């Protein structure tokens, strides 16, 4: 692997650890815990892993430990820092006994089921320290949910003499990690399972988990680009830039980028849903901001759009649900492609027809015609950033005729996702991820299973960070999935009474009207701490006393 | 203006200067020069500014200089480092006499004509040191070509007692700077004109100008993103990413990004033209690389595409030329929109019809229907990255049926332009631009006009850089523009016998087949010199002895 000068220099970086993890640890156990909802049901489903205490590590006495092997899985989409979780795991087991081994299962959970693995050696790990991507062992989206998978898994785990399996993933993967932990505990298979909180979207977050890893780096990478675009926008003064950002089910990324860059407009899906806004309401909100800036002669600006916004508009959510039903029938499947649009219009409710007819033709067609392999409407194909800018242009034309808008409107479009998912981790993510991995080995050494590795107080310098574990069951409740109630980790949406959103709301009118752009620039790894080591503004606001 | 932590830290950076500029200078003059082409004609057009010597500055004796005023104009599209040219100018005149003043003309050359200007003060300049963008005074695309503009200009220049005007721009702007210099010299108006070489595309380059400013930063920013995408691509192993990059008339950016990132494929417009490739040839070239990787089980990759590629395909160039002619007639303008496609097909030559029919329908429609305000085909509207990936998909389907391809093909699309034009300048661009501006004041102090400020030997440490000036006429030849022969600076395309291209060609087969990605990461300002201070690979290869 040929390396860039930055990679070569960055390979030398030694991630920071919380003080407690810098030497031998002792586990301090709290009181028994309960799940966040449906306590009785969750308890019944997880008799062996329910109610366990939260754990905090403190400095302890040195202890001897026999060599032990650990397996690791990367599950789901990439997030910056995954390689550092693995290097933390590697260094963690080696400090306990240098003969311990780390095995990586290849291309995600499927590697466990299909017995595809490799030993992660010292030479290998050194190639990947402080780098982005999940390419060291690859990732995958196979879900570990079935008994036969668990049984196939145990075979290879036993063959490799693996004491514990670490699953690095999002809410679903950690839920499944807990189901697996419970299954192996119930069967007394003697293999522990530990989770690590990853989602780039930042929606795996709660009282115990301050942030999911990768969120910091991704937001900083997108903010660099947004800042650059804003500087361009403010220099040429002739375009409105519509910038779509990752975040299907939560708007944390858009919100954090707004806090960093102070764009003119940032849409928050959770707010759109809470206020039951229509697509036209959203368009009108943007168009009015455009018109207001035009009165000052400023025919330029920036709009941040979370990827999932369309699905948060209640009227469209309803329409999509009905379209999925209507088009799933055998009758509908027989309809010729060029008759399908008419068929849809004849078969949906009057209320939904009104919404359907209000959509731009191409979007309506996309909703009626394009299906994913499961037969569902493909919302992700809709280029929301273009849809919104076209509708804003149309609205502005009307406003112009009504004498309510004087100005020129021209738009540029951007979508940032892949640009940040595999960026090299910021110092924050490098330290946080390394600590999560290192800490997981201490949970393993303490015989824990069904726990998630957690690191807290991360708005303070790393040596003040708090390391420990939280029972995964503690974060669970029951939710309907595919028609059945299932135990799941509750997804963290943007809280409309939370400090980051409230701060944004207190500023957004000023940002909309005036040019208040901030230009964060690229992530820095070597400069002053004020530049290199700041966590996200979201976290800073959340932890402000 | 609220500033990010990076901006605050970066404001302290003191750009480096060539040794000769660190104290008083003496101008060493070379032999009389000639233009690169059409010597007789150019000499006739520029009797007062032709044949002047190349100048190199050396350390000289201290000298006193009365206060003098300078005007500055930013012309055309933004490029990283424009603010540093201005801060170099500012510091340069102040070191000669602290009572000298710098005036900025607002929103480009139009500011000179319309008498819109501001004095650039010390407080103001400190806000903009080492930042991206052209927002300090704004830029514009008005062309200074007409006598009445020159005459309006001289009024305000005299009113402000301006001794010299510095025009920061690309090849056209520098050509016009020279025309203006000649005009003022001929009229003995006593105002000098100096140019500074800016183009993000890197196509203002020749034996005297090593690189145009902004190219370094823009390429590094795009390479950061391409590297991130490649890391993602190599982790999830399921997409081909088609990445379009700035560069309408030259492929320097795509080439430099390829040298930095080692993607699977990089198209070079100049090569496509030289080899007279058809669109189908280009598509086949990509499809074969995709198929070859698929035989190794690698159904992923990256393709870099210069923005202007379509216009370099000779057959399409011809087609567009004929379309422009056919659709420009009064008859054509009367044709209803829904009949226009048929009209086009009936009126173009058989050869062009064949090419036209080979295009995907939407592209053909776009070429036939959408016109710019001058009535020309809007090539820039074509989403080349999508066009190519769709055509590759179609070709692969055929290859599959013929048993020549086994694999899956799914594509993602990106276009990077605005993301890098206003990035904060790299150390290289910060130093280079500051030196260009500072150096311009030495040309002014030496009474020069019709010169471009140049800094050479920039592959060495800054104190070994060579500062001087080159007569703009030296770079000129005559070319046809709008049907008339005009003196212009020759555009620098990628040279197919140049070292950067030849190095690329020596590597590209390996890069195409195997995964040889390099991940450059974000621009660093504070780390080790190997990371922060390297010029582009293009420049390193060009200057390799």
């Amino acid at each position: 692997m040929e390396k860039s000068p930055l990679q070569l220099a960055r390979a030398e970086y030694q991630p920071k650890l919380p003080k407690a993890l810098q030497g031998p640890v002792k586990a301090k156990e709290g009181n028994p815990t309960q799940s966040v909802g449906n306590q009785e049901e969750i308890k019944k489903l997880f008799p062996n892993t329910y109610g366990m205490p939260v754990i905090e590590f403190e400095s302890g006495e040195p202890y001897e430990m026999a060599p032990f092997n650990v397996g690791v899985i990367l599950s789901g989409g990439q997030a910056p820092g995954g390689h550092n979780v693995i290097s933390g795991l590697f260094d963690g087991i080696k400090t306990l006994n240098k003969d311990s081994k780390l095995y990586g299962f290849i291309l995600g959970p499927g590697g466990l089921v299909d017995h595809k693995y490799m030993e992660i050696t010292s030479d290998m790990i050194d190639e990947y320290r402080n780098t982005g991507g999940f390419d060291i062992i690859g990732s995958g989206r196979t879900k570990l949910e079935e008994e036969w998978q668990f049984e196939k898994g145990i075979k290879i785990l036993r063959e490799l003499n693996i004491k514990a399996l670490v699953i690095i993933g999002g809410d679903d993967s950690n839920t499944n990690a807990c189901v697996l932990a419970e299954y192996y505990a119930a069967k007394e298979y003697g293999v522990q399972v530990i989770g690590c909180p990853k989602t780039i979207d930042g929606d795996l977050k709660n009282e115990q988990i301050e942030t999911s890893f990768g969120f910091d780096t991704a937001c900083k990478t997108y903010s660099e680009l947004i800042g650059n675009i804003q500087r361009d926008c403010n220099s040429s003064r002739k375009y409105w830039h519509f910038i779509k950002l990752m975040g299907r089910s939560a708007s944390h990324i858009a919100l954090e980028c707004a806090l960093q860059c102070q764009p003119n407009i940032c849409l928050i899906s959770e707010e759109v849903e809470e206020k039951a806004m229509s697509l036209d309401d959203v368009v009108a909100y943007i168009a009015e901001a455009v018109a207001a800036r035009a009165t000052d002669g400023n025919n330029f600006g920036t709009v941040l759009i979370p990827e999932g916004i369309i699905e948060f508009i209640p009227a469209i959510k309803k329409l999509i649900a009905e379209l999925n039903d209507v088009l799933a029938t055998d009758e509908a499947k027989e309809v010729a492609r060029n008759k399908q649009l008419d068929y849809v219009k004849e078969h949906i409710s009057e209320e939904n027809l009104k919404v359907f007819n209000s959509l731009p033709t191409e979007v309506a067609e996309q909703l009626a015609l394009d299906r994913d392999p499961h037969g569902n409407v493909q919302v992700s194909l809709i280029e929301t950033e273009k849809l919104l800018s076209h509708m804003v242009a149309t609205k502005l034309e009307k406003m112009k005729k009504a004498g309510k808008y004087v100005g020129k409107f021209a738009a540029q479009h951007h979508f940032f996702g892949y640009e940040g998912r595999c960026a090299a981790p910021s110092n924050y993510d490098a330290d946080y991820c390394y600590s999560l991995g290192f800490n997981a080995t201490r949970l393993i050494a303490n015989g824990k299973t069904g726990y998630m590795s957690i690191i807290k107080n991360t708005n303070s310098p790393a040596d003040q960070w708090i390391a420990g574990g939280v029972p995964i069951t503690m974060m669970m409740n029951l939710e309907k999935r595919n028609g059945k109630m299932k135990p799941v980790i509750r997804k963290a949406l943007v809280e409309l009474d939370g400090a980051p959103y409230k701060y944004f709301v207190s500023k957004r009118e000023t940002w909309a009207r005036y040019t208040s752009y901030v230009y964060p620039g690229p992530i820095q790894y070597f400069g002053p701490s004020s530049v290199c080591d700041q966590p996200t503004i979201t976290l800073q606001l959340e932890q402000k006393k």
Side-chain angles (χ1 to χ4, degrees), chain A residues 329-536:
Chain A
T329 64
D330 289 338
E331 185 190 278
K333 286 175 189 157
E334 299 293 316
V335 178
R337 202 180 149 85
N338 63 359
K339 299 264 160 58
Q340 214 155 12
L341 203 62
D342 292 332
Y343 180 84
V344 162
K345 289 185 183 178
E346 281 159 25
H347 286 76
I348 57 178
S349 69
E350 206 169 318
E351 187 192 347
N352 278 334
L353 181 61
K354 234 169 113 179
V355 176
F356 191 77
N357 284 332
S358 77
L359 295 173
T361 321
E362 49 203 290
V363 176
E365 281 183 8
Q366 210 157 27
L367 286 179
L369 299 178
D370 295 330
R371 340 288 304 152
D372 72 9
H374 309 287
N376 290 318
V377 167
Q378 288 197 277
V379 185
S380 66
L381 282 187
I382 299 174
E383 293 180 293
T384 325
E385 67 283 21
K386 291 187 183 166
L387 166 67
L388 287 174
S389 92
H390 291 165
M391 291 181 76
V392 166
T394 309
K395 172 126 337 208
L396 288 169
E397 275 307 309
K398 280 189 197 155
M399 288 168 70
K400 191 170 254 176
K401 280 181 190 148
K404 287 180 186 156
Y405 168 61
V406 279
K408 282 182 198 168
F409 178 77
Q412 296 288 344
H413 307 98
H414 314 264
F415 174 29
F416 299 133
Y418 293 101
E419 290 75 2
R421 303 197 323 172
C422 286
S426 62
N427 283 356
Y428 177 90
D429 270 329
D431 296 347
Y432 181 57
C433 291
Y434 185 79
S435 297
L436 281 173
F438 198 97
N439 180 61
T441 67
R442 273 39 189 172
L443 289 168
I444 295 167
N446 277 273
K448 302 300 170 192
T449 189
Y451 273 79
M452 209 182 297
S453 172
I454 55 167
I455 301 290
K456 302 210 289 190
N457 201 34
T458 62
N459 191 30
S460 301
D463 67 350
Q464 296 168 34
W465 289 5
I466 296 163
V470 56
I472 299 176
T473 52
M474 190 181 172
M475 309 169 191
M476 288 190 179
N477 63 358
L478 292 182
E479 289 177 23
K480 208 177 208 172
R481 294 286 159 92
N482 297 322
K484 273 194 284 186
M485 293 306 281
K486 291 193 74 173
V488 294
I489 294 175
R490 197 183 270 172
K491 244 192 210 316
L493 303 183
V494 169
E495 288 175 9
L496 302 187
D497 58 357
Y501 175 77
K502 278 161 79 176
Y503 178 82
F504 166 69
V505 168
S506 76
K507 295 286 182 182
R508 69 174 162 189
E509 278 175 44
T510 310
W511 296 352
R513 185 63 187 265
Y514 308 102
T515 305
S516 316
Y517 303 151
V518 172
Y519 313 116
I523 292 176
Q524 297 297 301
Y525 300 105
F526 306 100
S529 184
S530 62
V531 177
C532 299
D533 299 321
Q534 299 306 307
T536 58

Side-chain angles (χ1 to χ4, degrees), chain A residues 42-50 178-179 182 473 476 487:
Chain A
I42 303 285
K43 190 175 176 179
K44 246 182 239 160
L45 287 165
F46 296 91
N48 294 282
T49 51
Y50 188 85
C178 194
V179 174
E182 175 64 31
T473 52
M476 288 190 179

Side-chain angles (χ1 to χ4, degrees), chain A residues 26 66 109 179 184 202 217-218 233 296 311 334 356 362 390 538:
Chain A
K26 183 174 76 185
V179 174
Y184 286 169
T217 307
C233 179
D296 304 330
E311 291 168 272
E334 299 293 316
F356 191 77
E362 49 203 290
H390 291 165
T538 300

Side-chain angles (χ1 to χ4, degrees), chain A residues 114-317:
Chain A
D114 302 336
H115 297 191
K116 293 198 173 144
Y117 65 90
M118 59 169 83
E119 190 190 333
I120 297 174
T121 61
S122 171
D123 284 352
M124 210 176 137
I125 205 81
D126 287 347
E127 290 282 296
Y128 288 91
R129 289 179 190 273
N130 311 310
T131 61
F134 278 7
D135 41 313
I136 184 170
I137 49 174
S139 180
R141 294 186 186 273
T142 303
K143 287 195 190 304
L144 289 180
E145 292 179 312
E146 316 273 345
E147 254 188 66
W148 69 267
Q149 296 173 314
F150 304 164
E151 288 295 337
K152 279 205 77 176
I154 195 67
K155 283 212 183 83
I156 188 69
L157 294 169
R158 280 188 175 143
E159 196 179 311
L160 298 173
N161 195 24
I162 285 176
K163 176 185 169 67
L165 183 64
V166 176
I167 297 178
I168 302 169
D171 47 350
D172 277 352
S173 304
N174 274 287
T175 299
N176 293 341
C178 194
V179 174
L180 187 64
E182 175 64 31
Y183 183 87
Y184 286 169
K187 294 268 182 178
E188 294 182 355
Y189 281 171
V191 173
Q192 302 158 238
V193 183
I194 301 291
C196 278
K198 171 226 73 174
T199 74
I200 204 165
D201 290 353
D203 53 9
L204 175 48
K205 181 162 91 162
N206 52 46
E207 275 187 21
Q208 299 300 328
I209 301 173
E210 291 185 351
T211 188
S212 40
F213 80 72
F215 178 72
D216 184 87
T217 307
C219 287
K220 285 173 181 164
T221 303
Y222 301 142
S223 294
E224 172 199 355
L225 302 180
I226 297 164
N228 286 355
I229 290 170
Q230 290 190 153
R231 192 118 216 181
D232 201 298
C233 179
N234 195 20
S235 297
S236 67
R237 304 178 157 252
K238 59 184 179 186
Y239 293 117
W240 274 85
H241 290 264
F242 285 67
I243 305 165
K244 188 166 73 175
L245 297 166
M246 283 195 77
R248 278 292 290 281
S249 43
S251 306
H252 297 291
I253 289 180
L255 178 56
E256 171 63 21
C257 291
L259 295 171
Q260 287 197 30
C261 303
Q262 305 189 174
N264 298 103
I265 295 172
C266 175
L267 302 177
I268 303 292
S269 301
E270 291 84 344
E271 179 185 11
V272 166
E273 182 168 45
E274 171 73 20
K275 293 186 174 165
M277 290 170 83
S278 66
L279 185 53
D280 189 63
D281 291 339
V282 174
V283 170
Y285 170 68
I286 302 172
E288 272 153 30
V290 172
R293 281 179 65 80
T295 62
D296 304 330
N298 292 326
N299 292 303
F300 65 93
T302 46
V303 184
L304 305 191
I305 303 161
E307 193 185 1
I309 190 121
I310 282 288
E311 291 168 272
F312 278 80
I313 296 173
I316 296 195
K317 208 173 177 175

